[in-house]
Amino acid sequence: MDTISSYMTSDHHRCDELFSQAEAAASGKDWSTIATGLQSFLDSMHHHFKMEEEVLFPAFEEHTGMNMGPTQVMRMEHIQMRELFDAMSDAVKQQDRDEFLGQAETLLVMMQQHNMKEEQMLYLMADRALAGEMEVVLQQMRAVGA
């Protein structure tokens, strides 16, 4: 049986792989390929955030009563990452490789720290808090559209 931790950590790895591919594409000169790679990564991240913000975080908050705790920190970090997504998209539109790679480097550090907090703290807390509803929460997250 999947747990929230295993399911969401696996999704982190999927997003990380798409990020790596998008960053690798930036070493080339084909801006269409770079844009496509970035869009695949962004779609993946937006879907991941949506699963957390629409399903996981509200369920966790309802069961724990923690509305200003770790989920609030994660939401604030999502906002910061979305700003970096926009900056990377703008860099692609302007075909500015240096700007793209600079924003990607900042995003990578932020994602690593963010994912570590989720994987080593929040998801484990959610596994415990939502143990009785694990399958329902996982089904709801799987049902979230992109």
Side-chain angles (χ1 to χ4, degrees):
M1 176 177 106
D2 265 340
T3 62
I4 291 165
S5 293
S6 65
Y7 181 73
M8 295 304 283
T9 297
S10 175
D11 200 53
H12 277 168
H13 294 294
R14 185 180 62 81
C15 293
D16 291 346
E17 179 59 31
L18 290 169
F19 176 80
S20 180
Q21 291 171 11
E23 194 174 33
S27 65
K29 297 186 186 300
D30 181 355
W31 283 98
S32 175
T33 300
I34 297 167
T36 299
L38 177 62
Q39 194 58 55
S40 293
F41 164 69
L42 295 179
D43 290 346
S44 177
M45 288 298 293
H46 290 303
H47 181 257
H48 183 87
F49 289 172
K50 196 171 181 182
M51 287 191 297
E52 290 178 337
E53 293 171 354
E54 293 183 5
V55 179
L56 180 59
F57 295 172
F60 177 80
E61 291 165 348
E62 182 179 322
H63 280 80
T64 64
M66 286 194 270
N67 295 325
M68 296 305 292
T71 54
Q72 188 61 27
V73 172
M74 296 302 106
R75 283 186 181 100
M76 290 186 316
E77 291 180 3
H78 288 179
I79 291 168
Q80 293 170 331
M81 284 188 270
R82 285 181 176 111
E83 290 170 359
L84 291 168
F85 299 164
D86 291 344
M88 290 172 70
S89 294
D90 289 344
V92 169
K93 288 176 191 164
Q94 296 170 12
Q95 299 186 1
D96 185 337
R97 182 175 290 99
D98 291 340
E99 178 67 13
F100 177 86
L101 292 173
Q103 296 295 339
E105 184 176 338
T106 301
L107 179 61
L108 177 60
V109 171
M110 181 174 280
M111 284 191 314
Q112 289 172 334
Q113 293 171 350
H114 179 85
N115 291 355
M116 186 175 64
K117 286 183 263 187
E118 286 184 335
E119 292 170 13
Q120 295 180 5
M121 184 184 66
L122 180 61
Y123 294 160
L124 297 174
M125 292 170 67
D127 284 344
R128 287 189 297 275
L130 301 170
E133 294 183 39
M134 185 83 63
E135 270 309 308
V136 172
V137 172
L138 287 168
Q139 286 173 357
Q140 290 173 343
M141 285 193 296
R142 289 181 184 115
V144 169

